[in-house]
Amino acid sequence: MNLAIRDIRFHRGRFILTSIGLGLLLGVVMSMGGIYRGLFADALAVLHCTKADLWVVQKDTNGPFAESSRIPEDIKYRIKSVPGVAEASPLSFQTIQIERAGNPFRFFLIGYDLGGIGGPPAILAGRNIRQKHYEMVVAKAMKMALGEKIRLGLHEYTVVGITGKVVSSSGDPAAYVSLADAQEIQFKKDNDAIRNNRERVAADLDRLENLTQSQAQFLKKNVSDLTESTHTVNTVVARLAPGAGLHEVQQRIERWNHYRAISEEGQTKILTKGMIEKARMQLGLFRVILLVISAVIISLIIYTSTLDKIRVIATLKLIGSQNRVIVGMILQQSLLMGVIAYAVGYALISLTYEKFPRRIVLEAFDLQVLFAIVVVICTVSSFVGIRKALKVEPAEALGG
Amino acid sequence: MYAIEVDNVTKIYGKGDTAVTAISHASFQVRPGELVAILGPSGSGKTTLLTAIGLINEPTHGRIIVDGVTVADGGWVPGLDLKRMRREKLGFIFQAHNLIPFLTALENVMVALEINNFPSGEAKGRAEQLLKSLNLGQRLGSYPMALSGGEAQRVAIARALANKPRVILADEPTAALDTENGKNVMALLKSLAVENHSAILVVTHDHRMVEGFDRIFEVRDGSIIRETCGAG
């Protein structure tokens, strides 16, 4: 006869409610693990979609995600010409927050060369961008419909396609436009600023008495072209030809002394170790605290449940019950509570994880480790009750 | 051979100036099939005597023999497995029946058998038989809280008898019952003592119940002051 099961059967209401309460706590622990994995997945989403071997960025920076990086667009031609490079494409990234239907609307805008690397990974609805201007593909999470228009900078853009779950490292859904559009949105000054700038340059040049009129005109045009140019990108990504040595290509690009070539592995390290390390530690600490709270709760429940059974335990001892019967009863109850709570937590998180605003990634390994931890916690927590039970004297069964 | 032999047993709690003598030089014997009472007021030492015979409370001096086995001789006999002795030789009946609240009447009896390593099926059959013999056939699946005081005490008696012990120790078994139920329980104990050839030692302060006993030992301040033969 299993006394633990019999006790649970008799007090099933209390046991189920306690297990559900504990299950909610374990569900939070699981979600913490899922958020942690989600942070990784989000941080690496653009990196993985791009499938580039090298990320060429501004010298001495960890760009384009962890730090700001600005390089001229035409560097792509020089990178394409490096032996071992099969493809190279410029990319532009920027976070945009606008007002939509009276609410803040935030997304991560990626500008790419049509037909080059770094475009939308898959089109779920509609089509890819075909025109060089005013078309955009948005991630499903942006909840925009095909044909919907959105104003960015000086122009309106039409949604022509929906792509899957691509997000920035901070979890904002991604939208794609052509590189030219992205550059215009990011770098194009408004007309008043351009006019003011031209006036200032002209006034400065007019003060130089030894310039001829044609020299001044030439300089005005060139200075304006330079200051108004939008041909800047955040990175140029490259894919290597089969058999090409990553390290050699990297060294060759960096020898130019103006750029840094970061491998995919290096970029992964920057994103995971640098950008989300604190969030990871924060979540890790929070998980530990929640597990400690779970352990304390289980210990208290088992202890009070043992206190409730002091007379039962004394009676069992008096009629000659072996200690293993009593220890087994307490341990099994503790483990059952842990297993049921784990199942409740798992069911809860499985049903809700897709509704979280940020990505939750539930990995089998994490869940298995958590299960093992719960089993250990329940075993250790039951020791408090077992210790109390073993101290109970059979004589306590006597008397009224 | 006696089922219980108590020879010059003394129990002293504490030491020096704070020492309290709970039992003083108690000696008596109980034969198999005999129903014996230890009668005395609260604090007279009767429960201490019962717990010493029940292998719960170690006597300070004296000798106790249960079913031919010397269990105490100036303290517990070294190497004696007290739990096993309790399991195999003794049955306990309590004042408040002490049934396990989360087990049905049937399971409460079965648990005593399973602790003695009876296979579950055999334990169930035997427990059912015992409860039916005590007119509890309709209450097998009832939890203790659904039983009347008399029914609960009969289940407790069935549990005590389940393992066919040579000695049954009862601590105020009628204290929580009304007179009628109390008398029924006493009659039941008397018949069981005869049928099972078990020695039944009952601790009580209830003078209403003394009629059915074969012998009565009166205890005052830890000493047996009188032995009388009952109407049983």
Side-chain angles (χ1 to χ4, degrees), chain B residues 152-194:
Chain B
Q153 199 57 293
R154 274 186 284 154
V155 174
I157 291 169
R159 181 175 65 188
L161 293 171
N163 201 33
K164 294 184 178 164
R166 299 288 291 152
V167 173
I168 292 174
L169 303 172
D171 180 33
E172 307 271 10
T174 58
L177 302 176
D178 57 41
T179 307
E180 194 186 334
N181 270 315
K183 282 186 174 167
N184 289 341
V185 165
M186 288 315 301
L188 181 63
L189 288 176
K190 176 66 190 165
S191 66
L192 290 170
V194 175

mmCIF file of all heavy atoms in Angstrom, chain B residues 152-194:
data_model
loop_
_atom_site.group_PDB
_atom_site.id
_atom_site.type_symbol
_atom_site.label_atom_id
_atom_site.label_comp_id
_atom_site.label_asym_id
_atom_site.label_seq_id
_atom_site.Cartn_x
_atom_site.Cartn_y
_atom_site.Cartn_z
ATOM 1 N N ALA B 152 -15.144 3.186 14.964
ATOM 2 C CA ALA B 152 -13.717 3.504 14.832
ATOM 3 C C ALA B 152 -12.896 2.668 15.814
ATOM 4 O O ALA B 152 -11.831 2.151 15.462
ATOM 5 C CB ALA B 152 -13.489 4.989 15.075
ATOM 6 N N GLN B 153 -13.418 2.503 17.023
ATOM 7 C CA GLN B 153 -12.656 1.728 18.007
ATOM 8 C C GLN B 153 -12.613 0.251 17.610
ATOM 9 O O GLN B 153 -11.608 -0.422 17.823
ATOM 10 C CB GLN B 153 -13.276 1.922 19.408
ATOM 11 C CG GLN B 153 -12.368 1.566 20.567
ATOM 12 C CD GLN B 153 -11.044 2.328 20.579
ATOM 13 O OE1 GLN B 153 -10.196 2.162 19.719
ATOM 14 N NE2 GLN B 153 -10.874 3.190 21.571
ATOM 15 N N ARG B 154 -13.675 -0.232 16.978
ATOM 16 C CA ARG B 154 -13.668 -1.633 16.522
ATOM 17 C C ARG B 154 -12.663 -1.816 15.377
ATOM 18 O O ARG B 154 -11.995 -2.840 15.274
ATOM 19 C CB ARG B 154 -15.066 -2.058 16.082
ATOM 20 C CG ARG B 154 -15.889 -2.546 17.291
ATOM 21 C CD ARG B 154 -17.214 -3.106 16.863
ATOM 22 N NE ARG B 154 -18.137 -2.032 16.517
ATOM 23 C CZ ARG B 154 -19.149 -2.161 15.665
ATOM 24 N NH1 ARG B 154 -19.350 -3.304 15.052
ATOM 25 N NH2 ARG B 154 -19.941 -1.133 15.417
ATOM 26 N N VAL B 155 -12.548 -0.791 14.506
ATOM 27 C CA VAL B 155 -11.536 -0.865 13.437
ATOM 28 C C VAL B 155 -10.139 -0.902 14.076
ATOM 29 O O VAL B 155 -9.262 -1.670 13.660
ATOM 30 C CB VAL B 155 -11.655 0.335 12.460
ATOM 31 C CG1 VAL B 155 -10.518 0.318 11.440
ATOM 32 C CG2 VAL B 155 -12.995 0.319 11.749
ATOM 33 N N ALA B 156 -9.974 -0.065 15.116
ATOM 34 C CA ALA B 156 -8.671 -0.035 15.804
ATOM 35 C C ALA B 156 -8.374 -1.387 16.447
ATOM 36 O O ALA B 156 -7.225 -1.858 16.431
ATOM 37 C CB ALA B 156 -8.672 1.068 16.864
ATOM 38 N N ILE B 157 -9.402 -2.028 16.967
ATOM 39 C CA ILE B 157 -9.218 -3.366 17.559
ATOM 40 C C ILE B 157 -8.840 -4.363 16.461
ATOM 41 O O ILE B 157 -7.929 -5.180 16.620
ATOM 42 C CB ILE B 157 -10.500 -3.800 18.318
ATOM 43 C CG1 ILE B 157 -10.663 -2.922 19.570
ATOM 44 C CG2 ILE B 157 -10.444 -5.276 18.688
ATOM 45 C CD1 ILE B 157 -12.014 -3.052 20.259
ATOM 46 N N ALA B 158 -9.523 -4.240 15.329
ATOM 47 C CA ALA B 158 -9.212 -5.135 14.203
ATOM 48 C C ALA B 158 -7.752 -4.949 13.777
ATOM 49 O O ALA B 158 -7.047 -5.916 13.486
ATOM 50 C CB ALA B 158 -10.141 -4.831 13.037
ATOM 51 N N ARG B 159 -7.304 -3.697 13.763
ATOM 52 C CA ARG B 159 -5.899 -3.430 13.395
ATOM 53 C C ARG B 159 -4.946 -4.086 14.408
ATOM 54 O O ARG B 159 -3.936 -4.667 14.034
ATOM 55 C CB ARG B 159 -5.650 -1.922 13.333
ATOM 56 C CG ARG B 159 -4.228 -1.578 12.943
ATOM 57 C CD ARG B 159 -4.025 -0.099 12.775
ATOM 58 N NE ARG B 159 -4.210 0.612 14.036
ATOM 59 C CZ ARG B 159 -4.233 1.945 14.153
ATOM 60 N NH1 ARG B 159 -4.105 2.692 13.068
ATOM 61 N NH2 ARG B 159 -4.403 2.521 15.315
ATOM 62 N N ALA B 160 -5.310 -3.956 15.687
ATOM 63 C CA ALA B 160 -4.450 -4.528 16.727
ATOM 64 C C ALA B 160 -4.404 -6.052 16.632
ATOM 65 O O ALA B 160 -3.388 -6.675 16.933
ATOM 66 C CB ALA B 160 -4.953 -4.093 18.097
ATOM 67 N N LEU B 161 -5.519 -6.637 16.166
ATOM 68 C CA LEU B 161 -5.594 -8.103 16.106
ATOM 69 C C LEU B 161 -5.038 -8.672 14.806
ATOM 70 O O LEU B 161 -4.800 -9.872 14.713
ATOM 71 C CB LEU B 161 -7.058 -8.537 16.208
ATOM 72 C CG LEU B 161 -7.772 -8.286 17.524
ATOM 73 C CD1 LEU B 161 -9.246 -8.582 17.369
ATOM 74 C CD2 LEU B 161 -7.174 -9.178 18.612
ATOM 75 N N ALA B 162 -4.891 -7.807 13.813
ATOM 76 C CA ALA B 162 -4.606 -8.265 12.455
ATOM 77 C C ALA B 162 -3.441 -9.248 12.406
ATOM 78 O O ALA B 162 -3.481 -10.255 11.711
ATOM 79 C CB ALA B 162 -4.326 -7.065 11.565
ATOM 80 N N ASN B 163 -2.426 -8.962 13.174
ATOM 81 C CA ASN B 163 -1.205 -9.759 13.097
ATOM 82 C C ASN B 163 -1.205 -10.916 14.092
ATOM 83 O O ASN B 163 -0.179 -11.538 14.312
ATOM 84 C CB ASN B 163 -0.017 -8.822 13.373
ATOM 85 C CG ASN B 163 1.258 -9.370 12.833
ATOM 86 O OD1 ASN B 163 1.257 -10.037 11.804
ATOM 87 N ND2 ASN B 163 2.342 -9.123 13.540
ATOM 88 N N LYS B 164 -2.372 -11.177 14.681
ATOM 89 C CA LYS B 164 -2.524 -12.226 15.698
ATOM 90 C C LYS B 164 -1.445 -12.122 16.769
ATOM 91 O O LYS B 164 -0.655 -13.063 16.994
ATOM 92 C CB LYS B 164 -2.483 -13.604 15.038
ATOM 93 C CG LYS B 164 -3.676 -13.847 14.115
ATOM 94 C CD LYS B 164 -3.663 -15.246 13.567
ATOM 95 C CE LYS B 164 -4.892 -15.463 12.692
ATOM 96 N NZ LYS B 164 -4.772 -16.644 11.848
ATOM 97 N N PRO B 165 -1.375 -10.961 17.445
ATOM 98 C CA PRO B 165 -0.311 -10.794 18.438
ATOM 99 C C PRO B 165 -0.599 -11.598 19.707
ATOM 100 O O PRO B 165 -1.750 -11.894 19.999
ATOM 101 C CB PRO B 165 -0.357 -9.290 18.735
ATOM 102 C CG PRO B 165 -1.756 -8.907 18.469
ATOM 103 C CD PRO B 165 -2.253 -9.789 17.378
ATOM 104 N N ARG B 166 0.451 -11.939 20.435
ATOM 105 C CA ARG B 166 0.299 -12.693 21.679
ATOM 106 C C ARG B 166 -0.177 -11.763 22.798
ATOM 107 O O ARG B 166 -0.801 -12.206 23.744
ATOM 108 C CB ARG B 166 1.656 -13.316 22.066
ATOM 109 C CG ARG B 166 2.189 -14.278 21.039
ATOM 110 C CD ARG B 166 1.404 -15.574 21.007
ATOM 111 N NE ARG B 166 1.626 -16.352 22.224
ATOM 112 C CZ ARG B 166 0.752 -17.203 22.738
ATOM 113 N NH1 ARG B 166 -0.415 -17.374 22.149
ATOM 114 N NH2 ARG B 166 1.020 -17.885 23.842
ATOM 115 N N VAL B 167 0.144 -10.467 22.649
ATOM 116 C CA VAL B 167 -0.201 -9.508 23.702
ATOM 117 C C VAL B 167 -0.879 -8.293 23.074
ATOM 118 O O VAL B 167 -0.383 -7.756 22.073
ATOM 119 C CB VAL B 167 1.081 -9.048 24.446
ATOM 120 C CG1 VAL B 167 0.770 -7.932 25.423
ATOM 121 C CG2 VAL B 167 1.735 -10.221 25.162
ATOM 122 N N ILE B 168 -1.997 -7.882 23.649
ATOM 123 C CA ILE B 168 -2.642 -6.647 23.181
ATOM 124 C C ILE B 168 -2.635 -5.657 24.341
ATOM 125 O O ILE B 168 -3.050 -5.990 25.453
ATOM 126 C CB ILE B 168 -4.077 -6.920 22.697
ATOM 127 C CG1 ILE B 168 -4.020 -7.773 21.419
ATOM 128 C CG2 ILE B 168 -4.820 -5.609 22.420
ATOM 129 C CD1 ILE B 168 -5.370 -8.229 20.916
ATOM 130 N N LEU B 169 -2.142 -4.465 24.049
ATOM 131 C CA LEU B 169 -2.064 -3.418 25.063
ATOM 132 C C LEU B 169 -3.064 -2.327 24.677
ATOM 133 O O LEU B 169 -3.003 -1.806 23.553
ATOM 134 C CB LEU B 169 -0.653 -2.838 25.128
ATOM 135 C CG LEU B 169 0.456 -3.867 25.403
ATOM 136 C CD1 LEU B 169 1.826 -3.226 25.253
ATOM 137 C CD2 LEU B 169 0.309 -4.462 26.802
ATOM 138 N N ALA B 170 -3.946 -2.024 25.602
ATOM 139 C CA ALA B 170 -4.987 -1.036 25.285
ATOM 140 C C ALA B 170 -4.892 0.130 26.271
ATOM 141 O O ALA B 170 -4.888 -0.069 27.476
ATOM 142 C CB ALA B 170 -6.356 -1.691 25.353
ATOM 143 N N ASP B 171 -4.784 1.330 25.692
ATOM 144 C CA ASP B 171 -4.666 2.532 26.531
ATOM 145 C C ASP B 171 -6.007 3.258 26.536
ATOM 146 O O ASP B 171 -6.387 3.866 25.540
ATOM 147 C CB ASP B 171 -3.565 3.428 25.943
ATOM 148 C CG ASP B 171 -3.368 4.692 26.752
ATOM 149 O OD1 ASP B 171 -3.553 4.640 27.976
ATOM 150 O OD2 ASP B 171 -3.040 5.725 26.142
ATOM 151 N N GLU B 172 -6.726 3.166 27.635
ATOM 152 C CA GLU B 172 -8.036 3.815 27.797
ATOM 153 C C GLU B 172 -8.925 3.587 26.570
ATOM 154 O O GLU B 172 -9.397 4.557 25.947
ATOM 155 C CB GLU B 172 -7.842 5.330 28.002
ATOM 156 C CG GLU B 172 -6.885 5.714 29.112
ATOM 157 C CD GLU B 172 -7.560 5.852 30.471
ATOM 158 O OE1 GLU B 172 -8.740 5.455 30.583
ATOM 159 O OE2 GLU B 172 -6.907 6.323 31.406
ATOM 160 N N PRO B 173 -9.190 2.364 26.206
ATOM 161 C CA PRO B 173 -9.925 2.123 24.939
ATOM 162 C C PRO B 173 -11.374 2.567 24.982
ATOM 163 O O PRO B 173 -11.997 2.712 23.933
ATOM 164 C CB PRO B 173 -9.826 0.607 24.763
ATOM 165 C CG PRO B 173 -9.657 0.071 26.146
ATOM 166 C CD PRO B 173 -8.904 1.090 26.912
ATOM 167 N N THR B 174 -11.891 2.804 26.194
ATOM 168 C CA THR B 174 -13.306 3.184 26.267
ATOM 169 C C THR B 174 -13.503 4.648 26.659
ATOM 170 O O THR B 174 -14.630 5.105 26.794
ATOM 171 C CB THR B 174 -14.030 2.296 27.313
ATOM 172 O OG1 THR B 174 -13.366 2.462 28.571
ATOM 173 C CG2 THR B 174 -14.019 0.836 26.920
ATOM 174 N N ALA B 175 -12.399 5.353 26.837
ATOM 175 C CA ALA B 175 -12.487 6.716 27.364
ATOM 176 C C ALA B 175 -13.288 7.649 26.451
ATOM 177 O O ALA B 175 -13.969 8.543 26.934
ATOM 178 C CB ALA B 175 -11.095 7.277 27.584
ATOM 179 N N ALA B 176 -13.187 7.421 25.141
ATOM 180 C CA ALA B 176 -13.868 8.321 24.211
ATOM 181 C C ALA B 176 -15.255 7.804 23.832
ATOM 182 O O ALA B 176 -15.882 8.340 22.918
ATOM 183 C CB ALA B 176 -13.014 8.508 22.965
ATOM 184 N N LEU B 177 -15.711 6.756 24.497
ATOM 185 C CA LEU B 177 -16.988 6.141 24.108
ATOM 186 C C LEU B 177 -18.037 6.339 25.204
ATOM 187 O O LEU B 177 -17.700 6.505 26.382
ATOM 188 C CB LEU B 177 -16.786 4.635 23.878
ATOM 189 C CG LEU B 177 -15.749 4.237 22.818
ATOM 190 C CD1 LEU B 177 -15.601 2.731 22.780
ATOM 191 C CD2 LEU B 177 -16.131 4.777 21.452
ATOM 192 N N ASP B 178 -19.315 6.263 24.788
ATOM 193 C CA ASP B 178 -20.378 6.303 25.808
ATOM 194 C C ASP B 178 -20.423 4.942 26.510
ATOM 195 O O ASP B 178 -19.758 3.988 26.098
ATOM 196 C CB ASP B 178 -21.717 6.666 25.160
ATOM 197 C CG ASP B 178 -22.081 5.702 24.048
ATOM 198 O OD1 ASP B 178 -21.874 4.490 24.225
ATOM 199 O OD2 ASP B 178 -22.542 6.175 22.989
ATOM 200 N N THR B 179 -21.205 4.863 27.527
ATOM 201 C CA THR B 179 -21.203 3.646 28.366
ATOM 202 C C THR B 179 -21.534 2.399 27.552
ATOM 203 O O THR B 179 -20.848 1.376 27.655
ATOM 204 C CB THR B 179 -22.220 3.813 29.517
ATOM 205 O OG1 THR B 179 -21.926 5.033 30.183
ATOM 206 C CG2 THR B 179 -22.139 2.661 30.510
ATOM 207 N N GLU B 180 -22.553 2.526 26.720
ATOM 208 C CA GLU B 180 -22.980 1.341 25.970
ATOM 209 C C GLU B 180 -21.885 0.858 25.022
ATOM 210 O O GLU B 180 -21.536 -0.317 24.994
ATOM 211 C CB GLU B 180 -24.258 1.672 25.202
ATOM 212 C CG GLU B 180 -24.931 0.409 24.680
ATOM 213 C CD GLU B 180 -26.117 0.727 23.789
ATOM 214 O OE1 GLU B 180 -26.703 1.814 23.952
ATOM 215 O OE2 GLU B 180 -26.432 -0.113 22.934
ATOM 216 N N ASN B 181 -21.347 1.815 24.261
ATOM 217 C CA ASN B 181 -20.271 1.450 23.325
ATOM 218 C C ASN B 181 -19.047 0.942 24.077
ATOM 219 O O ASN B 181 -18.364 0.021 23.632
ATOM 220 C CB ASN B 181 -19.887 2.651 22.459
ATOM 221 C CG ASN B 181 -20.714 2.713 21.185
ATOM 222 O OD1 ASN B 181 -20.906 1.693 20.514
ATOM 223 N ND2 ASN B 181 -21.226 3.887 20.882
ATOM 224 N N GLY B 182 -18.767 1.572 25.212
ATOM 225 C CA GLY B 182 -17.636 1.154 26.039
ATOM 226 C C GLY B 182 -17.806 -0.283 26.495
ATOM 227 O O GLY B 182 -16.867 -1.091 26.408
ATOM 228 N N LYS B 183 -19.024 -0.622 26.924
ATOM 229 C CA LYS B 183 -19.266 -2.001 27.379
ATOM 230 C C LYS B 183 -19.150 -2.988 26.213
ATOM 231 O O LYS B 183 -18.641 -4.095 26.380
ATOM 232 C CB LYS B 183 -20.650 -2.092 28.047
ATOM 233 C CG LYS B 183 -20.606 -1.522 29.456
ATOM 234 C CD LYS B 183 -21.901 -1.714 30.187
ATOM 235 C CE LYS B 183 -21.709 -1.243 31.637
ATOM 236 N NZ LYS B 183 -22.982 -1.106 32.336
ATOM 237 N N ASN B 184 -19.643 -2.563 25.068
ATOM 238 C CA ASN B 184 -19.525 -3.432 23.882
ATOM 239 C C ASN B 184 -18.068 -3.716 23.549
ATOM 240 O O ASN B 184 -17.710 -4.851 23.218
ATOM 241 C CB ASN B 184 -20.202 -2.775 22.675
ATOM 242 C CG ASN B 184 -21.707 -2.754 22.813
ATOM 243 O OD1 ASN B 184 -22.262 -3.514 23.609
ATOM 244 N ND2 ASN B 184 -22.358 -1.875 22.062
ATOM 245 N N VAL B 185 -17.263 -2.659 23.628
ATOM 246 C CA VAL B 185 -15.832 -2.826 23.314
ATOM 247 C C VAL B 185 -15.194 -3.780 24.321
ATOM 248 O O VAL B 185 -14.414 -4.674 23.961
ATOM 249 C CB VAL B 185 -15.120 -1.446 23.286
ATOM 250 C CG1 VAL B 185 -13.602 -1.603 23.341
ATOM 251 C CG2 VAL B 185 -15.512 -0.688 22.024
ATOM 252 N N MET B 186 -15.538 -3.612 25.590
ATOM 253 C CA MET B 186 -14.965 -4.488 26.625
ATOM 254 C C MET B 186 -15.379 -5.936 26.401
ATOM 255 O O MET B 186 -14.579 -6.865 26.533
ATOM 256 C CB MET B 186 -15.392 -4.025 28.026
ATOM 257 C CG MET B 186 -14.750 -2.741 28.503
ATOM 258 S SD MET B 186 -12.972 -2.643 28.218
ATOM 259 C CE MET B 186 -12.425 -4.060 29.110
ATOM 260 N N ALA B 187 -16.656 -6.115 26.004
ATOM 261 C CA ALA B 187 -17.134 -7.473 25.741
ATOM 262 C C ALA B 187 -16.388 -8.083 24.564
ATOM 263 O O ALA B 187 -16.014 -9.264 24.585
ATOM 264 C CB ALA B 187 -18.636 -7.434 25.451
ATOM 265 N N LEU B 188 -16.149 -7.231 23.581
ATOM 266 C CA LEU B 188 -15.412 -7.686 22.393
ATOM 267 C C LEU B 188 -13.994 -8.096 22.772
ATOM 268 O O LEU B 188 -13.503 -9.163 22.353
ATOM 269 C CB LEU B 188 -15.390 -6.560 21.363
ATOM 270 C CG LEU B 188 -14.692 -6.835 20.041
ATOM 271 C CD1 LEU B 188 -15.381 -7.955 19.272
ATOM 272 C CD2 LEU B 188 -14.666 -5.576 19.182
ATOM 273 N N LEU B 189 -13.341 -7.266 23.571
ATOM 274 C CA LEU B 189 -11.963 -7.577 23.993
ATOM 275 C C LEU B 189 -11.933 -8.892 24.775
ATOM 276 O O LEU B 189 -11.035 -9.719 24.591
ATOM 277 C CB LEU B 189 -11.387 -6.438 24.852
ATOM 278 C CG LEU B 189 -11.047 -5.153 24.111
ATOM 279 C CD1 LEU B 189 -10.570 -4.076 25.093
ATOM 280 C CD2 LEU B 189 -9.962 -5.393 23.057
ATOM 281 N N LYS B 190 -12.930 -9.079 25.621
ATOM 282 C CA LYS B 190 -12.984 -10.308 26.430
ATOM 283 C C LYS B 190 -13.106 -11.535 25.530
ATOM 284 O O LYS B 190 -12.381 -12.526 25.691
ATOM 285 C CB LYS B 190 -14.186 -10.213 27.396
ATOM 286 C CG LYS B 190 -14.429 -11.445 28.222
ATOM 287 C CD LYS B 190 -13.297 -11.678 29.197
ATOM 288 C CE LYS B 190 -13.424 -13.052 29.864
ATOM 289 N NZ LYS B 190 -12.168 -13.437 30.527
ATOM 290 N N SER B 191 -14.006 -11.437 24.549
ATOM 291 C CA SER B 191 -14.199 -12.599 23.670
ATOM 292 C C SER B 191 -12.951 -12.856 22.821
ATOM 293 O O SER B 191 -12.582 -13.994 22.563
ATOM 294 C CB SER B 191 -15.431 -12.391 22.783
ATOM 295 O OG SER B 191 -15.206 -11.331 21.897
ATOM 296 N N LEU B 192 -12.302 -11.765 22.403
ATOM 297 C CA LEU B 192 -11.086 -11.924 21.584
ATOM 298 C C LEU B 192 -9.961 -12.556 22.389
ATOM 299 O O LEU B 192 -9.184 -13.366 21.867
ATOM 300 C CB LEU B 192 -10.631 -10.556 21.046
ATOM 301 C CG LEU B 192 -11.556 -9.946 19.984
ATOM 302 C CD1 LEU B 192 -11.143 -8.507 19.703
ATOM 303 C CD2 LEU B 192 -11.534 -10.772 18.716
ATOM 304 N N ALA B 193 -9.865 -12.188 23.655
ATOM 305 C CA ALA B 193 -8.817 -12.746 24.508
ATOM 306 C C ALA B 193 -8.987 -14.265 24.594
ATOM 307 O O ALA B 193 -8.015 -15.025 24.486
ATOM 308 C CB ALA B 193 -8.888 -12.122 25.905
ATOM 309 N N VAL B 194 -10.226 -14.676 24.716
ATOM 310 C CA VAL B 194 -10.498 -16.122 24.837
ATOM 311 C C VAL B 194 -10.278 -16.815 23.493
ATOM 312 O O VAL B 194 -9.563 -17.811 23.391
ATOM 313 C CB VAL B 194 -11.943 -16.341 25.356
ATOM 314 C CG1 VAL B 194 -12.291 -17.827 25.381
ATOM 315 C CG2 VAL B 194 -12.093 -15.744 26.751
#
